[in-house]
Amino acid sequence: MQDVTRNITGETKIYGIIGNPVHHSMSPEMHNIAFREHGMNSVYIALPTSHISDGVRGLKALGFKGVSITIPYKQDVIPFVDVIDPVAEKIGAINTLVIKKGEDSSEKIVYGYNTDWIGANRALEEKISLQGSRVLVLGAGGSARAIGFGLLEAGAEVILTNRTAEKGRKLAGQLGCSFYRTDELGQIQADVLVNATSVGMVPDTEKTPVPKDLLSGFKVVMDIVYAPLQTRLIKEAQSVGCQTVDGLSMLLYQGAAQFKLWTGREAPLDVMREVLYRNFR
Ligand code: NAP
């Protein structure tokens, strides 16, 4: 890692990530390399935060230009945002703040967005056109919610399943899509499978959310779990001939969408990808 502090001046624009914990986040490396690649006088830092209301007030007072929001504040931040993007409002979660002066006032305005769904869609669109595709989403947590609404934005047909049927039915009702219990997985036909649960994540890497003998019907299988990168689901999907998308791809593209919102520039994907995948070699 190069020394980013050598470029810091009185003009440096400050960005960061708010959450608790944030020490493990790969976003500082990913965004700092992107700023450097564009020769921008900007820096991105981890900001462990214990009170979200104080956190957002502090960002405005201290002149931050934007931040990522992560667990546990993606929902809790909503009341402290002045303008929320319509898709983020439907999802009910924000992972990106942009802070800037209003057009006709010197007041700072906090804009809230969700780029998780953009990241998932862009990662999938590398393999298949989502418009008109049938997508089975596993899970009913925060990520499944963002991905579900995002898939509908792209014109996909969504089907949902979840371990806890009550939670799954509730989300399916909000998405306006059909729900299947996990013991009915064998009855579902879809083009794409997205694992938006934490099944298969370290330390339980021997687990998989869908038996191997049910995978061959899917053209594309995406696992949003990225620790490990090659989950059992990804390996088994490859072995039966599916195209696969790993969890870092979603992380990369959600970060690229944040970079665009903050800077107005296209994110330098190659260097950002290199930083992310370096941690998994
Ligand atoms: P979450 O809100 O806690 O939801 C967890 C989901 O996983 C729920 O649907 C839960 O089902 C299900 N689940 C957990 N353990 C299970 C088990 N043993 N068997 C079956 N289902 C199980 O979590 P989240 O924020 O959506 O995150 C989910 C995963 O995505 C995590 O591994 C996270 O690291 C990863 N993630 C990746 C990215 C990326 O960019 N690639 C972004 C965000 C999150 P119940 O409702 O039955 O509990």
Side-chain angles (χ1 to χ4, degrees):
M1 182 88 187
Q2 289 170 39
D3 178 10
V4 290
T5 59
R6 74 197 161 126
N7 295 324
I8 290 178
T9 68
E11 299 283 320
T12 301
K13 293 190 172 112
I14 315 173
Y15 299 83
I17 179 163
I18 280 193
N20 203 349
V22 286
H23 63 269
H24 63 284
S25 171
M26 289 185 276
S27 293
E29 275 189 81
M30 177 172 69
H31 285 296
N32 282 318
I33 199 124
F35 288 139
R36 202 171 315 130
E37 182 74 7
H38 275 302
M40 299 173 77
N41 187 359
S42 300
V43 68
Y44 182 108
I45 52 179
L47 300 159
T49 305
S50 48
H51 296 285
I52 187 63
S53 56
D54 294 346
V56 177
R57 260 200 302 276
L59 294 174
K60 283 169 92 168
L62 295 170
F64 276 73
K65 302 295 178 195
V67 287
S68 311
I69 305 284
T70 189
I71 288 169
Y73 299 126
K74 287 186 181 183
Q75 285 99 35
D76 296 353
V77 72
I78 292 174
F80 308 106
V81 164
D82 300 307
V83 182
I84 184 165
D85 169 75
V87 185
E89 190 164 24
K90 275 192 223 167
I91 294 168
I94 284 172
N95 80 330
T96 310
L97 299 184
V98 177
I99 304 158
K100 55 187 180 194
K101 284 190 181 151
E103 275 172 21
D104 48 6
S105 79
S106 56
E107 273 290 294
K108 283 190 187 149
I109 299 184
V110 180
Y111 298 85
Y113 300 88
N114 187 307
T115 67
D116 286 329
W117 70 274
I118 299 172
N121 280 9
R122 195 161 166 196
L124 283 169
E125 295 269 13
E126 283 189 335
K127 307 286 182 191
I128 192 166
S129 167
L130 289 173
Q131 171 73 47
S133 286
R134 220 167 131 80
V135 185
L136 170 60
V137 176
L138 310 177
S143 303
R145 206 179 153 76
I147 291 169
F149 278 106
L151 287 167
L152 295 179
E153 289 293 312
E157 182 193 345
V158 178
I159 306 157
L160 198 78
T161 180
N162 189 51
R163 174 181 62 177
T164 308
E166 197 186 344
K167 253 175 83 182
R169 283 207 183 88
K170 187 172 173 203
L171 177 57
Q174 291 165 341
L175 290 167
C177 74
S178 43
F179 175 80
Y180 287 79
R181 295 190 316 269
T182 47
D183 62 359
E184 298 171 321
L185 268 174
Q187 302 170 22
I188 304 171
Q189 289 200 326
D191 304 299
V192 180
L193 169 70
V194 177
N195 177 35
T197 75
S198 47
V199 177
M201 193 170 90
V202 286
D204 297 319
T205 54
E206 82 293 348
K207 294 205 172 130
T208 185
V210 179
K212 184 178 170 183
D213 59 349
L214 295 183
L215 292 175
S216 60
F218 299 102
K219 292 179 194 138
V220 178
V221 173
M222 175 161 98
D223 198 341
I224 74 162
V225 170
Y226 55 78
L229 193 54
Q230 291 288 303
T231 57
R232 179 171 163 197
L233 175 65
I234 290 279
K235 285 193 264 192
E236 292 186 343
Q238 282 167 353
S239 75
V240 298
C242 307
Q243 296 195 74
T244 58
V245 182
D246 66 50
L248 279 190
S249 195
M250 171 174 164
L251 193 68
L252 169 71
Y253 288 123
Q254 68 76 31
Q258 292 183 317
F259 188 86
K260 181 88 194 264
L261 284 168
W262 292 330
T263 67
R265 300 193 194 190
E266 291 305 326
L269 287 171
D270 288 348
V271 292
M272 292 166 81
R273 188 182 285 111
E274 162 64 22
V275 157
L276 289 180
Y277 282 82
R278 193 168 61 201
N279 292 314
F280 289 87
R281 265 185 225 127

